[in-house]
Amino acid sequence: MATTDHSDNTLKIAVVGSGPSGFYAAEALLRADLPVQVDMLERLPTPFGLVRSGVAPDHPKLKEVIKVYDRIARNPEFRFLGNVALGEDLTVDELQANYHAIVLACGAQSDRRMGIPGEDLPGSHTATEFVGWFNGHPDYRDLAFDLDGEVAVIVGQGNVAADVCRILAKPVRELRSTDISEHALEALAQSRIREIHIVGRRGPAQARFTPRELRELGEIPDCVTLANSDDLRLGPHCETEIEDPQNGNAGKNCALFREFAANQTGDARTQVRFHFYRSPSEVLGSNRVTGLRLERNRLDGPAFAQVARPTGETTTLDCDLLFRSIGYKGVPIPGLPFDDVRGIVPNQAGRVAVNDRTVPGVYVTGWLKRGPSGVIGTNRADSVETVKHLLSDLADAPATSKPGHQGLEELLRQRRAEQVSYQQWLQIDEAEVMRGQPRGKPREKFTRVRDMLACAGRK
Ligand code: NAP
Protein backbone atom coordinates (compact mmCIF):
# COMPACT_ATOMS: atom_id res chain seq x y z
CA MET A 1 0.00 0.00 0.00
CA ALA A 2 2.98 2.36 -0.44
CA THR A 3 1.91 5.78 -1.69
CA THR A 4 4.55 8.26 -0.62
CA ASP A 5 7.24 9.70 -2.85
CA HIS A 6 10.67 8.81 -1.45
CA SER A 7 13.94 10.56 -1.50
CA ASP A 8 17.10 8.46 -1.75
CA ASN A 9 17.80 8.33 1.97
CA THR A 10 14.82 6.02 2.56
CA LEU A 11 15.83 2.66 3.99
CA LYS A 12 14.45 -0.13 1.84
CA ILE A 13 13.99 -3.35 3.77
CA ALA A 14 12.66 -6.69 2.54
CA VAL A 15 11.00 -8.99 5.07
CA VAL A 16 10.64 -12.55 3.83
CA GLY A 17 7.68 -14.34 5.39
CA SER A 18 4.36 -12.94 6.61
CA GLY A 19 3.81 -14.81 9.87
CA PRO A 20 4.02 -13.24 13.34
CA SER A 21 7.79 -12.71 13.35
CA GLY A 22 7.66 -11.04 9.92
CA PHE A 23 4.87 -8.68 10.96
CA TYR A 24 6.59 -7.83 14.25
CA ALA A 25 9.80 -7.08 12.33
CA ALA A 26 7.81 -4.82 9.98
CA GLU A 27 6.22 -3.10 12.97
CA ALA A 28 9.59 -2.48 14.64
CA LEU A 29 11.02 -1.09 11.39
CA LEU A 30 8.05 1.18 10.74
CA ARG A 31 8.22 2.51 14.30
CA ALA A 32 11.86 3.53 13.89
CA ASP A 33 12.36 7.25 13.69
CA LEU A 34 13.69 7.03 10.13
CA PRO A 35 12.37 7.14 6.57
CA VAL A 36 11.82 3.45 5.88
CA GLN A 37 9.89 1.31 3.43
CA VAL A 38 9.12 -2.31 4.18
CA ASP A 39 8.31 -4.84 1.46
CA MET A 40 7.03 -8.16 2.79
CA LEU A 41 7.42 -11.17 0.51
CA GLU A 42 5.27 -14.25 1.04
CA ARG A 43 5.31 -17.43 -1.02
CA LEU A 44 1.52 -17.93 -0.68
CA PRO A 45 -1.02 -15.41 -1.97
CA THR A 46 -2.33 -15.12 1.62
CA PRO A 47 -0.56 -13.53 4.61
CA PHE A 48 -0.21 -14.42 8.34
CA GLY A 49 1.74 -17.71 8.16
CA LEU A 50 1.10 -19.97 11.12
CA VAL A 51 -1.70 -17.77 12.45
CA ARG A 52 -3.69 -18.71 9.36
CA SER A 53 -2.46 -22.24 8.78
CA GLY A 54 -1.02 -23.41 12.11
CA VAL A 55 -3.30 -22.16 14.88
CA ALA A 56 -6.05 -24.73 15.45
CA PRO A 57 -9.50 -23.75 14.13
CA ASP A 58 -11.08 -24.18 17.57
CA HIS A 59 -8.72 -21.51 19.00
CA PRO A 60 -10.21 -18.44 17.30
CA LYS A 61 -9.03 -16.04 20.01
CA LEU A 62 -5.40 -16.74 19.07
CA LYS A 63 -6.21 -15.54 15.56
CA GLU A 64 -7.40 -12.14 16.76
CA VAL A 65 -3.80 -10.98 16.55
CA ILE A 66 -4.43 -10.71 12.80
CA LYS A 67 -6.11 -7.36 13.56
CA VAL A 68 -2.73 -6.08 14.79
CA TYR A 69 -1.01 -7.35 11.63
CA ASP A 70 -3.72 -5.77 9.49
CA ARG A 71 -3.02 -2.38 11.08
CA ILE A 72 0.68 -2.78 10.32
CA ALA A 73 -0.12 -3.74 6.72
CA ARG A 74 -2.16 -0.55 6.26
CA ASN A 75 0.85 1.65 6.99
CA PRO A 76 1.57 3.58 3.76
CA GLU A 77 5.23 2.55 3.94
CA PHE A 78 4.35 -1.15 3.97
CA ARG A 79 3.83 -3.31 0.89
CA PHE A 80 2.76 -6.96 0.76
CA LEU A 81 3.92 -9.09 -2.16
CA GLY A 82 2.14 -12.42 -1.91
CA ASN A 83 2.79 -15.40 -4.20
CA VAL A 84 6.48 -14.47 -4.41
CA ALA A 85 8.89 -17.18 -3.29
CA LEU A 86 12.49 -16.51 -2.33
CA GLY A 87 14.61 -19.17 -4.02
CA GLU A 88 12.07 -19.61 -6.85
CA ASP A 89 11.03 -16.18 -8.11
CA LEU A 90 14.06 -14.37 -6.69
CA THR A 91 17.46 -15.08 -5.25
CA VAL A 92 19.00 -13.69 -2.06
CA ASP A 93 21.56 -11.84 -4.24
CA GLU A 94 18.78 -10.13 -6.17
CA LEU A 95 17.09 -9.04 -2.96
CA GLN A 96 20.39 -7.74 -1.63
CA ALA A 97 20.88 -5.70 -4.79
CA ASN A 98 17.51 -4.03 -4.30
CA TYR A 99 17.31 -3.55 -0.53
CA HIS A 100 19.52 -2.20 2.23
CA ALA A 101 18.73 -5.26 4.32
CA ILE A 102 16.74 -8.48 4.28
CA VAL A 103 14.97 -9.95 7.31
CA LEU A 104 14.28 -13.66 6.99
CA ALA A 105 11.10 -14.59 8.84
CA CYS A 106 10.23 -17.84 7.09
CA GLY A 107 9.51 -19.87 10.22
CA ALA A 108 10.09 -23.60 10.58
CA GLN A 109 8.44 -25.23 7.60
CA SER A 110 9.58 -28.80 8.07
CA ASP A 111 9.69 -31.39 10.87
CA ARG A 112 12.26 -33.12 13.03
CA ARG A 113 12.54 -36.81 12.24
CA MET A 114 12.46 -39.68 14.70
CA GLY A 115 15.12 -41.52 12.68
CA ILE A 116 13.67 -44.99 13.25
CA PRO A 117 12.68 -47.84 10.88
CA GLY A 118 9.19 -47.61 9.43
CA GLU A 119 8.90 -43.84 9.97
CA ASP A 120 7.68 -43.29 6.41
CA LEU A 121 5.18 -46.14 6.20
CA PRO A 122 1.72 -45.17 4.91
CA GLY A 123 -0.36 -44.17 7.92
CA SER A 124 2.60 -42.41 9.58
CA HIS A 125 2.28 -38.64 9.24
CA THR A 126 3.87 -35.52 10.59
CA ALA A 127 1.73 -33.22 12.70
CA THR A 128 2.59 -30.49 10.18
CA GLU A 129 0.81 -32.41 7.44
CA PHE A 130 -2.32 -32.97 9.52
CA VAL A 131 -2.43 -29.39 10.82
CA GLY A 132 -1.82 -27.99 7.32
CA TRP A 133 -4.57 -30.26 5.96
CA PHE A 134 -7.30 -29.31 8.42
CA ASN A 135 -6.30 -25.65 8.18
CA GLY A 136 -6.58 -25.64 4.38
CA HIS A 137 -2.91 -24.92 3.56
CA PRO A 138 -2.54 -25.47 -0.22
CA ASP A 139 0.60 -27.63 0.24
CA TYR A 140 -1.38 -30.20 2.25
CA ARG A 141 -4.81 -29.91 0.63
CA ASP A 142 -4.63 -33.18 -1.26
CA LEU A 143 -3.30 -35.38 1.53
CA ALA A 144 -5.52 -38.18 2.78
CA PHE A 145 -5.62 -39.48 6.35
CA ASP A 146 -7.12 -42.91 6.81
CA LEU A 147 -9.51 -42.40 9.70
CA ASP A 148 -11.15 -45.83 9.28
CA GLY A 149 -9.18 -47.45 12.12
CA GLU A 150 -9.91 -46.98 15.81
CA VAL A 151 -6.49 -46.25 17.29
CA ALA A 152 -4.21 -43.26 16.71
CA VAL A 153 -0.87 -42.59 18.36
CA ILE A 154 0.68 -39.15 18.66
CA VAL A 155 4.39 -39.03 19.50
CA GLY A 156 5.44 -35.89 21.39
CA GLN A 157 3.87 -34.00 24.27
CA GLY A 158 3.77 -30.36 23.20
CA ASN A 159 0.95 -28.03 22.21
CA VAL A 160 0.96 -29.19 18.60
CA ALA A 161 0.28 -32.74 19.84
CA ALA A 162 -2.58 -31.27 21.89
CA ASP A 163 -4.00 -29.57 18.77
CA VAL A 164 -3.81 -32.82 16.78
CA CYS A 165 -5.46 -34.71 19.63
CA ARG A 166 -8.34 -32.22 20.02
CA ILE A 167 -9.15 -32.24 16.31
CA LEU A 168 -9.17 -36.05 16.29
CA ALA A 169 -11.12 -36.39 19.54
CA LYS A 170 -13.69 -33.61 19.35
CA PRO A 171 -17.17 -34.48 18.17
CA VAL A 172 -17.48 -32.89 14.73
CA ARG A 173 -20.39 -30.71 15.91
CA GLU A 174 -17.81 -28.84 18.02
CA LEU A 175 -15.82 -27.97 14.89
CA ARG A 176 -18.60 -27.06 12.47
CA SER A 177 -18.72 -23.40 13.39
CA THR A 178 -14.93 -22.93 13.21
CA ASP A 179 -12.85 -22.05 10.14
CA ILE A 180 -11.70 -25.67 9.75
CA SER A 181 -11.57 -26.52 6.05
CA GLU A 182 -14.64 -28.28 4.74
CA HIS A 183 -12.69 -31.19 3.19
CA ALA A 184 -11.26 -31.96 6.65
CA LEU A 185 -14.61 -31.59 8.36
CA GLU A 186 -16.17 -34.08 5.94
CA ALA A 187 -13.39 -36.61 6.55
CA LEU A 188 -13.49 -36.14 10.34
CA ALA A 189 -17.27 -36.63 10.32
CA GLN A 190 -16.61 -40.20 9.09
CA SER A 191 -13.71 -40.83 11.49
CA ARG A 192 -13.79 -44.04 13.52
CA ILE A 193 -10.87 -43.05 15.76
CA ARG A 194 -11.90 -43.81 19.35
CA GLU A 195 -8.55 -44.28 21.12
CA ILE A 196 -5.75 -41.73 21.06
CA HIS A 197 -2.41 -42.39 22.76
CA ILE A 198 -0.04 -39.49 23.41
CA VAL A 199 3.50 -40.75 23.97
CA GLY A 200 6.27 -38.81 25.73
CA ARG A 201 9.89 -39.87 25.94
CA ARG A 202 10.33 -38.23 29.36
CA GLY A 203 8.00 -37.89 32.35
CA PRO A 204 4.91 -35.88 33.24
CA ALA A 205 7.05 -33.14 34.78
CA GLN A 206 8.79 -32.58 31.43
CA ALA A 207 5.69 -32.58 29.20
CA ARG A 208 5.73 -29.38 27.11
CA PHE A 209 2.00 -28.71 27.09
CA THR A 210 0.89 -25.41 28.54
CA PRO A 211 -1.61 -26.20 31.33
CA ARG A 212 -4.45 -24.41 29.54
CA GLU A 213 -4.03 -26.67 26.49
CA LEU A 214 -3.68 -29.79 28.64
CA ARG A 215 -6.78 -28.92 30.68
CA GLU A 216 -8.70 -28.43 27.45
CA LEU A 217 -8.00 -32.07 26.52
CA GLY A 218 -9.75 -33.08 29.73
CA GLU A 219 -12.81 -31.02 28.77
CA ILE A 220 -13.60 -32.52 25.36
CA PRO A 221 -17.22 -33.71 25.31
CA ASP A 222 -17.76 -37.50 25.09
CA CYS A 223 -14.06 -38.07 25.77
CA VAL A 224 -12.17 -39.35 28.81
CA THR A 225 -8.52 -38.50 29.49
CA LEU A 226 -6.46 -41.18 31.21
CA ALA A 227 -2.98 -41.59 32.68
CA ASN A 228 -1.23 -44.33 34.61
CA SER A 229 -0.75 -43.42 38.28
CA ASP A 230 2.58 -45.36 38.39
CA ASP A 231 4.00 -42.82 35.93
CA LEU A 232 3.08 -40.01 38.31
CA ARG A 233 5.35 -41.15 41.14
CA LEU A 234 8.10 -38.60 40.68
CA GLY A 235 11.77 -38.91 41.58
CA PRO A 236 13.52 -36.19 43.63
CA HIS A 237 14.81 -34.31 40.57
CA CYS A 238 11.30 -34.15 39.10
CA GLU A 239 9.96 -32.93 42.47
CA THR A 240 12.60 -30.18 42.38
CA GLU A 241 11.48 -29.25 38.90
CA ILE A 242 7.77 -29.01 39.69
CA GLU A 243 8.35 -27.05 42.90
CA ASP A 244 10.34 -24.34 41.12
CA PRO A 245 8.10 -21.25 40.74
CA GLN A 246 9.92 -20.43 37.47
CA ASN A 247 8.65 -23.73 36.11
CA GLY A 248 4.99 -23.28 37.04
CA ASN A 249 3.63 -25.20 34.05
CA ALA A 250 5.22 -28.46 35.20
CA GLY A 251 3.46 -28.50 38.58
CA LYS A 252 0.12 -27.56 37.01
CA ASN A 253 0.52 -30.23 34.33
CA CYS A 254 1.34 -32.90 36.93
CA ALA A 255 -1.77 -31.95 38.93
CA LEU A 256 -3.85 -32.35 35.77
CA PHE A 257 -2.24 -35.72 34.96
CA ARG A 258 -3.17 -36.85 38.50
CA GLU A 259 -6.78 -35.91 37.80
CA PHE A 260 -6.62 -37.88 34.56
CA ALA A 261 -5.15 -40.89 36.40
CA ALA A 262 -8.19 -40.89 38.70
CA ASN A 263 -10.63 -40.96 35.76
CA GLN A 264 -12.58 -44.11 34.93
CA THR A 265 -12.90 -45.23 31.32
CA GLY A 266 -16.72 -45.25 31.61
CA ASP A 267 -18.73 -45.16 28.40
CA ALA A 268 -17.07 -42.14 26.79
CA ARG A 269 -17.05 -42.26 23.01
CA THR A 270 -13.33 -41.49 22.83
CA GLN A 271 -10.36 -42.14 25.15
CA VAL A 272 -7.15 -40.15 25.28
CA ARG A 273 -4.35 -41.88 27.17
CA PHE A 274 -0.99 -40.36 28.14
CA HIS A 275 2.12 -42.57 28.14
CA PHE A 276 5.39 -41.43 29.67
CA TYR A 277 9.02 -42.61 29.63
CA ARG A 278 8.60 -44.27 26.22
CA SER A 279 10.60 -43.67 23.02
CA PRO A 280 9.49 -45.10 19.68
CA SER A 281 12.16 -47.47 18.35
CA GLU A 282 10.29 -48.84 15.31
CA VAL A 283 7.10 -48.17 13.41
CA LEU A 284 5.58 -51.60 12.79
CA GLY A 285 3.78 -52.81 9.67
CA SER A 286 4.65 -54.05 6.21
CA ASN A 287 2.38 -52.07 3.89
CA ARG A 288 1.10 -49.58 6.40
CA VAL A 289 1.32 -48.74 10.07
CA THR A 290 0.02 -51.41 12.41
CA GLY A 291 1.79 -50.42 15.60
CA LEU A 292 4.71 -48.82 17.32
CA ARG A 293 7.52 -50.47 19.24
CA LEU A 294 8.30 -48.43 22.32
CA GLU A 295 11.39 -48.61 24.46
CA ARG A 296 11.05 -47.79 28.12
CA ASN A 297 13.27 -44.94 29.35
CA ARG A 298 14.56 -43.80 32.68
CA LEU A 299 15.54 -40.22 33.39
CA ASP A 300 19.19 -39.40 33.80
CA GLY A 301 20.95 -36.18 34.78
CA PRO A 302 20.33 -33.25 37.11
CA ALA A 303 17.02 -31.47 37.63
CA PHE A 304 16.05 -29.34 34.58
CA ALA A 305 18.51 -31.25 32.40
CA GLN A 306 17.15 -34.77 32.72
CA VAL A 307 17.40 -36.80 29.55
CA ALA A 308 15.67 -40.03 28.53
CA ARG A 309 17.95 -43.10 28.60
CA PRO A 310 16.70 -46.39 27.15
CA THR A 311 16.40 -49.27 29.61
CA GLY A 312 16.20 -52.03 26.97
CA GLU A 313 12.66 -52.97 27.97
CA THR A 314 10.25 -52.79 25.02
CA THR A 315 6.50 -52.91 24.54
CA THR A 316 4.30 -52.57 21.47
CA LEU A 317 1.32 -50.34 20.99
CA ASP A 318 -1.03 -51.42 18.19
CA CYS A 319 -2.39 -48.54 16.13
CA ASP A 320 -3.91 -47.65 12.78
CA LEU A 321 -2.55 -44.15 12.44
CA LEU A 322 0.55 -42.37 13.70
CA PHE A 323 1.35 -38.68 14.04
CA ARG A 324 4.87 -37.47 14.74
CA SER A 325 4.63 -34.23 16.68
CA ILE A 326 8.21 -33.86 17.87
CA GLY A 327 8.94 -30.32 16.80
CA TYR A 328 9.34 -28.27 13.66
CA LYS A 329 12.49 -27.45 11.75
CA GLY A 330 13.45 -24.61 9.42
CA VAL A 331 14.42 -25.26 5.81
CA PRO A 332 17.62 -23.96 4.19
CA ILE A 333 17.47 -20.88 1.98
CA PRO A 334 19.58 -21.23 -1.17
CA GLY A 335 22.65 -19.02 -0.91
CA LEU A 336 22.60 -18.69 2.89
CA PRO A 337 24.18 -20.71 5.70
CA PHE A 338 22.06 -23.24 7.60
CA ASP A 339 22.50 -25.12 10.87
CA ASP A 340 21.05 -28.49 9.94
CA VAL A 341 21.13 -29.86 13.49
CA ARG A 342 19.08 -27.04 14.99
CA GLY A 343 17.11 -26.36 11.82
CA ILE A 344 17.84 -22.62 11.96
CA VAL A 345 19.81 -20.00 10.06
CA PRO A 346 22.91 -19.48 12.24
CA ASN A 347 22.91 -16.00 13.73
CA GLN A 348 24.15 -13.71 16.46
CA ALA A 349 21.06 -12.18 18.02
CA GLY A 350 19.48 -11.89 14.58
CA ARG A 351 22.57 -11.09 12.48
CA VAL A 352 23.10 -14.03 10.12
CA ALA A 353 26.60 -15.28 10.94
CA VAL A 354 28.86 -18.26 10.38
CA ASN A 355 31.85 -18.83 12.65
CA ASP A 356 31.66 -15.29 14.03
CA ARG A 357 31.53 -13.78 10.52
CA THR A 358 28.30 -11.96 9.81
CA VAL A 359 26.67 -11.96 6.38
CA PRO A 360 26.25 -8.22 5.68
CA GLY A 361 22.68 -7.01 5.27
CA VAL A 362 21.01 -10.35 6.10
CA TYR A 363 19.04 -10.84 9.33
CA VAL A 364 16.77 -13.51 10.72
CA THR A 365 13.93 -13.58 13.20
CA GLY A 366 11.32 -15.90 14.75
CA TRP A 367 11.50 -19.69 14.58
CA LEU A 368 14.13 -19.58 11.83
CA LYS A 369 16.32 -17.61 14.26
CA ARG A 370 15.80 -19.38 17.58
CA GLY A 371 14.03 -22.65 16.73
CA PRO A 372 10.36 -23.54 17.16
CA SER A 373 9.60 -22.36 20.68
CA GLY A 374 7.32 -19.95 22.49
CA VAL A 375 3.90 -18.54 21.74
CA ILE A 376 2.91 -16.03 19.04
CA GLY A 377 3.79 -13.03 21.23
CA THR A 378 7.32 -14.38 21.87
CA ASN A 379 8.13 -13.32 18.34
CA ARG A 380 7.60 -9.64 19.07
CA ALA A 381 10.62 -9.30 21.38
CA ASP A 382 12.60 -11.54 19.05
CA SER A 383 11.91 -9.31 16.05
CA VAL A 384 12.55 -6.14 18.04
CA GLU A 385 16.02 -7.49 18.88
CA THR A 386 16.77 -8.34 15.24
CA VAL A 387 15.57 -4.95 13.99
CA LYS A 388 17.59 -3.13 16.66
CA HIS A 389 20.77 -4.72 15.31
CA LEU A 390 19.77 -4.12 11.71
CA LEU A 391 19.18 -0.40 12.33
CA SER A 392 22.39 0.01 14.27
CA ASP A 393 24.39 -1.70 11.48
CA LEU A 394 22.79 0.50 8.84
CA ALA A 395 23.42 3.61 10.90
CA ASP A 396 27.13 2.74 10.83
CA ALA A 397 27.18 1.94 7.10
CA PRO A 398 27.88 4.53 4.39
CA ALA A 399 24.66 5.98 2.93
CA THR A 400 23.67 4.33 -0.35
CA SER A 401 20.46 4.41 -2.30
CA LYS A 402 18.62 1.20 -3.24
CA PRO A 403 15.77 0.70 -5.73
CA GLY A 404 13.52 -1.14 -3.25
CA HIS A 405 10.15 -2.21 -4.61
CA GLN A 406 10.67 -0.52 -7.97
CA GLY A 407 13.62 -2.82 -8.65
CA LEU A 408 11.72 -5.78 -7.30
CA GLU A 409 8.63 -5.09 -9.40
CA GLU A 410 10.81 -4.89 -12.48
CA LEU A 411 12.36 -8.28 -11.72
CA LEU A 412 8.96 -9.83 -11.02
CA ARG A 413 7.62 -8.40 -14.27
CA GLN A 414 10.49 -9.99 -16.19
CA ARG A 415 9.67 -13.31 -14.55
CA ARG A 416 5.94 -12.91 -15.12
CA ALA A 417 5.33 -13.53 -11.43
CA GLU A 418 1.71 -13.13 -10.36
CA GLN A 419 2.24 -11.20 -7.15
CA VAL A 420 -0.71 -10.46 -4.89
CA SER A 421 -0.96 -7.09 -3.15
CA TYR A 422 -2.45 -6.50 0.31
CA GLN A 423 -5.50 -4.97 -1.37
CA GLN A 424 -5.93 -8.16 -3.37
CA TRP A 425 -5.54 -10.23 -0.21
CA LEU A 426 -8.41 -8.19 1.27
CA GLN A 427 -10.51 -9.30 -1.72
CA ILE A 428 -9.63 -12.94 -0.96
CA ASP A 429 -10.39 -12.35 2.71
CA GLU A 430 -13.81 -10.91 1.96
CA ALA A 431 -14.67 -13.77 -0.40
CA GLU A 432 -13.61 -16.36 2.21
CA VAL A 433 -15.78 -14.73 4.86
CA MET A 434 -18.74 -14.79 2.47
CA ARG A 435 -18.11 -18.44 1.60
CA GLY A 436 -18.24 -19.27 5.30
CA GLN A 437 -21.58 -17.55 5.98
CA PRO A 438 -24.01 -20.20 4.66
CA ARG A 439 -22.27 -22.79 6.88
CA GLY A 440 -22.17 -20.56 9.95
CA LYS A 441 -18.34 -20.47 9.79
CA PRO A 442 -16.18 -17.35 10.22
CA ARG A 443 -14.67 -18.14 6.81
CA GLU A 444 -14.26 -20.94 4.30
CA LYS A 445 -10.66 -20.71 3.13
CA PHE A 446 -9.58 -21.13 -0.44
CA THR A 447 -7.29 -24.13 -0.34
CA ARG A 448 -5.80 -23.92 -3.80
CA VAL A 449 -3.39 -21.24 -4.98
CA ARG A 450 -5.16 -21.00 -8.36
CA ASP A 451 -8.47 -20.20 -6.64
CA MET A 452 -6.78 -17.58 -4.45
CA LEU A 453 -5.20 -15.99 -7.53
CA ALA A 454 -8.49 -16.06 -9.44
CA CYS A 455 -10.22 -14.37 -6.52
CA ALA A 456 -7.47 -11.75 -6.45
CA GLY A 457 -8.04 -11.16 -10.16
CA ARG A 458 -4.55 -12.40 -11.03
CA LYS A 459 -5.43 -15.32 -13.31
P1 NAP B 1 7.43 -28.74 21.60
O1 NAP B 1 6.64 -27.95 22.55
O2 NAP B 1 8.89 -28.50 21.54
O3 NAP B 1 7.17 -30.30 21.90
C1 NAP B 1 7.86 -31.30 21.20
C2 NAP B 1 7.65 -32.62 21.90
O4 NAP B 1 8.31 -33.62 21.12
C3 NAP B 1 8.27 -32.70 23.31
O5 NAP B 1 7.45 -33.50 24.11
C4 NAP B 1 9.61 -33.41 23.02
O6 NAP B 1 10.12 -34.13 24.13
C5 NAP B 1 9.18 -34.38 21.95
N1 NAP B 1 10.29 -34.91 21.18
C6 NAP B 1 11.27 -34.23 20.54
N2 NAP B 1 12.10 -35.08 19.91
C7 NAP B 1 11.63 -36.33 20.16
C8 NAP B 1 12.05 -37.62 19.77
N3 NAP B 1 13.13 -37.81 19.00
N4 NAP B 1 11.35 -38.69 20.21
C9 NAP B 1 10.26 -38.52 20.99
N5 NAP B 1 9.79 -37.30 21.39
C10 NAP B 1 10.48 -36.22 20.97
O7 NAP B 1 6.94 -28.54 20.08
P2 NAP B 1 5.50 -28.37 19.43
O8 NAP B 1 4.45 -29.10 20.13
O9 NAP B 1 5.75 -28.67 17.98
O10 NAP B 1 5.20 -26.81 19.58
C11 NAP B 1 6.07 -25.83 18.99
C12 NAP B 1 5.83 -24.47 19.66
O11 NAP B 1 4.56 -23.96 19.26
C13 NAP B 1 5.81 -24.56 21.17
O12 NAP B 1 6.43 -23.43 21.71
C14 NAP B 1 4.34 -24.57 21.49
O13 NAP B 1 4.00 -24.12 22.80
C15 NAP B 1 3.81 -23.63 20.40
N6 NAP B 1 2.38 -23.87 20.17
C16 NAP B 1 1.49 -23.18 20.95
C17 NAP B 1 0.15 -23.41 20.82
C18 NAP B 1 -0.81 -22.68 21.69
O14 NAP B 1 -0.43 -21.72 22.34
N7 NAP B 1 -2.06 -23.08 21.76
C19 NAP B 1 -0.33 -24.36 19.90
C20 NAP B 1 0.59 -25.07 19.12
C21 NAP B 1 1.96 -24.80 19.27
P3 NAP B 1 11.38 -33.54 24.98
O15 NAP B 1 10.79 -32.51 25.89
O16 NAP B 1 11.90 -34.74 25.68
O17 NAP B 1 12.35 -32.96 23.98
Side-chain angles (χ1 to χ4, degrees):
M1 291 197 169
T3 53
T4 322
D5 185 24
H6 292 282
S7 59
D8 270 350
N9 64 351
T10 300
L11 288 182
K12 317 270 173 66
I13 313 291
V15 174
V16 185
S18 69
S21 63
F23 268 100
Y24 292 130
E27 179 186 50
L29 287 160
L30 294 166
R31 280 187 176 173
D33 196 13
L34 291 165
V36 62
Q37 262 190 349
V38 177
D39 288 359
M40 178 177 277
L41 279 57
E42 162 61 54
R43 77 181 175 98
L44 290 179
T46 52
F48 311 135
L50 267 195
V51 181
R52 176 175 163 98
S53 60
V55 169
D58 57 342
H59 279 173
K61 278 207 160 4
L62 291 181
K63 300 187 197 211
E64 284 179 10
V65 71
I66 283 179
K67 289 183 199 148
V68 175
Y69 306 155
D70 181 64
R71 272 200 301 278
I72 297 166
R74 287 170 193 268
N75 185 309
E77 307 304 336
F78 176 94
R79 176 177 287 247
F80 175 75
L81 294 110
N83 202 39
V84 175
L86 180 61
E88 284 174 34
D89 298 306
L90 296 161
T91 64
V92 170
D93 286 350
E94 286 167 338
L95 273 189
Q96 281 187 297
N98 283 288
Y99 293 89
H100 291 98
I102 309 168
V103 182
L104 304 166
C106 317
Q109 299 172 46
S110 142
D111 303 82
R112 287 194 199 127
R113 290 187 59 82
M114 298 193 295
I116 60 172
E119 187 162 2
D120 296 316
L121 273 173
S124 165
H125 305 276
T126 61
T128 309
E129 291 167 340
F130 190 57
V131 172
W133 173 75
F134 65 63
N135 273 330
H137 189 299
D139 288 0
Y140 307 100
R141 166 66 178 87
D142 293 321
L143 295 183
F145 297 87
D146 183 350
L147 303 168
D148 281 346
E150 292 206 347
V151 186
V153 171
I154 304 169
V155 177
Q157 295 191 327
N159 283 339
V160 173
D163 287 346
V164 169
C165 179
R166 278 198 327 284
I167 298 302
L168 286 174
K170 273 195 171 178
V172 146
R173 63 174 187 275
E174 297 274 315
L175 299 172
R176 285 202 191 281
S177 59
T178 72
D179 69 1
I180 190 167
S181 287
E182 201 57 25
H183 63 268
L185 199 56
E186 278 167 24
L188 289 163
Q190 305 301 319
S191 169
R192 296 207 182 119
I193 300 289
R194 294 293 174 266
E195 243 181 75
I196 302 164
H197 299 268
I198 308 186
V199 178
R201 62 178 168 182
R202 298 192 289 160
Q206 290 81 34
R208 301 269 186 99
F209 306 111
T210 41
R212 180 205 291 251
E213 272 62 31
L214 183 58
R215 187 173 305 109
E216 217 182 340
L217 294 182
E219 292 167 351
I220 298 173
D222 299 339
C223 177
V224 61
T225 349
L226 304 162
N228 182 342
S229 52
D230 287 347
D231 285 342
L232 298 167
R233 279 200 287 273
L234 303 181
H237 291 334
C238 291
E239 290 290 354
T240 306
E241 289 181 16
I242 67 168
E243 278 160 19
D244 184 336
Q246 305 288 322
N247 193 29
N249 284 355
K252 288 182 192 152
N253 282 350
C254 284
L256 286 164
F257 289 131
R258 290 207 169 87
E259 286 176 26
F260 298 165
N263 284 340
Q264 303 297 317
T265 313
D267 56 2
R269 172 180 166 275
T270 308
Q271 290 181 19
V272 171
R273 182 175 283 279
F274 292 88
H275 301 255
F276 299 100
Y277 310 109
R278 298 276 193 282
S279 281
S281 57
E282 185 179 357
V283 182
L284 304 172
S286 43
N287 301 322
R288 56 165 297 111
V289 172
T290 56
L292 193 60
R293 194 181 322 281
L294 295 169
E295 185 150 14
R296 193 174 172 85
N297 296 324
R298 64 182 173 79
L299 294 184
D300 186 28
F304 303 106
Q306 298 189 83
V307 294
R309 297 266 184 244
T311 62
E313 181 191 331
T314 60
T315 51
T316 57
L317 187 53
D318 293 340
C319 66
D320 305 293
L321 197 56
L322 174 67
F323 294 100
R324 291 116 59 191
S325 181
I326 62 169
Y328 296 127
K329 211 177 159 191
V331 294
I333 294 168
L336 288 175
F338 192 70
D339 176 341
D340 203 41
V341 176
R342 295 187 60 202
I344 61 166
V345 170
N347 68 93
Q348 292 169 354
R351 293 179 172 111
V352 173
V354 202
N355 303 330
D356 284 343
R357 287 189 53 197
T358 53
V359 179
V362 188
Y363 299 82
V364 61
T365 184
W367 280 6
L368 194 56
K369 170 186 176 187
R370 67 176 194 278
S373 65
V375 292
I376 292 170
T378 313
N379 294 297
R380 178 175 254 141
D382 200 344
S383 291
V384 165
E385 178 190 65
T386 293
V387 167
K388 191 176 120 200
H389 289 137
L390 178 157
L391 292 173
S392 112
D393 293 349
L394 287 183
D396 293 342
T400 51
S401 123
K402 293 275 185 177
H405 69 255
Q406 277 165 0
L408 186 71
E409 297 262 339
E410 181 51 37
L411 268 176
L412 293 174
R413 228 187 335 270
Q414 286 166 15
R415 296 196 184 152
R416 297 173 194 278
E418 297 275 357
Q419 77 262 32
V420 171
S421 67
Y422 198 74
Q423 200 56 48
Q424 287 167 321
W425 148 248
L426 292 176
Q427 267 170 245
I428 298 175
D429 182 42
E430 194 184 337
E432 288 188 344
V433 171
M434 281 177 64
R435 277 156 51 95
Q437 275 170 5
R439 299 185 173 113
K441 296 166 93 173
R443 72 176 59 237
E444 187 63 55
K445 289 177 199 160
F446 290 108
T447 58
R448 303 205 186 273
V449 168
R450 64 165 182 269
D451 294 337
M452 297 172 186
L453 292 179
C455 182
R458 291 305 309 200
K459 269 192 176 158

